[in-house]
Amino acid sequence: MKKNISTFFLTMFLCRAVMAQASSPLTAQLNLNSIMSSPQFSNSIQLVLSLAVISLIPFFLISVTSFLRIIIVFALARTAIGTQQVPPNMVIVGLALFMTVFIMSPVWEEVNENAITPYNQGKISQGQAFEIGMKPLRKFMLRQTREKDLALFIQFSQIKAPKSPDEIPIYVLIPSFMISELKTAFQIGFLLFVPFIIIDLTVANILLSLGMFMLSPVMVSLPFKVLLFVLVDGWNLISRGLLMSFR
């Protein structure tokens, strides 16, 4: 009985509270407006946007830096040797990441000096900092982008032909840069495959002439390919070639 009485009074209290809110919609609207205009609300929105931007950093790293070319060349080199999972993916990604930092360090220094530092000092706005910070990245991407790839996306974007590189939209430049990097990486990868294919063919012909049909040429040629790669200091040559390709 006591439980039913307490439930009844609680229900009556909630009904009165709802009726009071319904009778004063202006007060509720004013409270909502005050919440939206408060600095705490804007700070929360900025925090959410900042977390969203942080989650896009890996895609940004792949899209506008040298990481794409480097990781593909290293993966193709491993495939050409035939070692499958040696070196592991973690080692290849780590090496590609640090080489990307090394290659992109002049660009990041220019962005930090001309955009980030003035913005932190309050000399420029956030929009101005973004525009100034994108200029070094645009120069880097334009240096590595082929005119044919750039013309492709300009044509399908249905925009006027830009008179200068600064007029190229960033949404046109980034995919053009990426497919240019893919083509360059596969060209380098093809050159890496040639000597190892010659070793495979030579070993296969020798085994065929000896009548060893059941012996896998891949297993026999693997030590010779690793030996060749070590004797010519393959990782040094590949790294040197990649660094020179970005000059």
Side-chain angles (χ1 to χ4, degrees), residues 111-184:
V111 171
N112 181 60
E113 182 179 355
N114 297 331
I116 298 177
T117 301
Y119 173 72
N120 291 333
Q121 296 175 351
K123 296 180 180 179
I124 57 177
S125 63
Q126 187 174 1
Q128 291 174 336
F130 178 79
E131 292 180 1
I132 297 174
M134 286 302 298
K135 289 182 179 179
L137 288 174
R138 290 172 65 91
K139 292 180 182 178
F140 173 80
M141 288 188 288
L142 284 170
R143 260 197 332 264
Q144 309 299 329
T145 305
R146 293 178 174 84
E147 295 182 1
K148 183 179 180 181
D149 299 329
L150 200 57
L152 172 66
F153 286 94
I154 291 176
Q155 177 184 356
F156 281 91
S157 62
Q158 297 180 354
I159 60 175
K160 295 181 179 179
K163 299 179 180 179
S164 64
D166 295 334
E167 296 180 1
I168 301 174
I170 193 66
Y171 65 86
V172 172
L173 180 57
I174 290 178
S176 305
F177 169 76
M178 292 183 70
I179 63 173
S180 296
E181 288 292 282
L182 288 172
K183 182 176 181 179
T184 304

Side-chain angles (χ1 to χ4, degrees), residues 74 192 228-240:
F74 284 158
L192 292 174
L228 174 64
F229 194 76
V230 172
L231 290 177
V232 300
D233 200 359
W235 292 113
N236 183 282
L237 291 178
I238 294 174
S239 300
R240 179 187 295 271

Side-chain angles (χ1 to χ4, degrees), residues 29-47:
Q29 184 178 3
L30 290 176
N31 291 336
L32 182 61
N33 292 333
S34 63
I35 291 174
M36 294 181 64
S37 61
S38 63
Q40 291 82 2
F41 182 82
S42 60
N43 291 336
S44 300
I45 296 298
Q46 290 180 1
L47 178 60

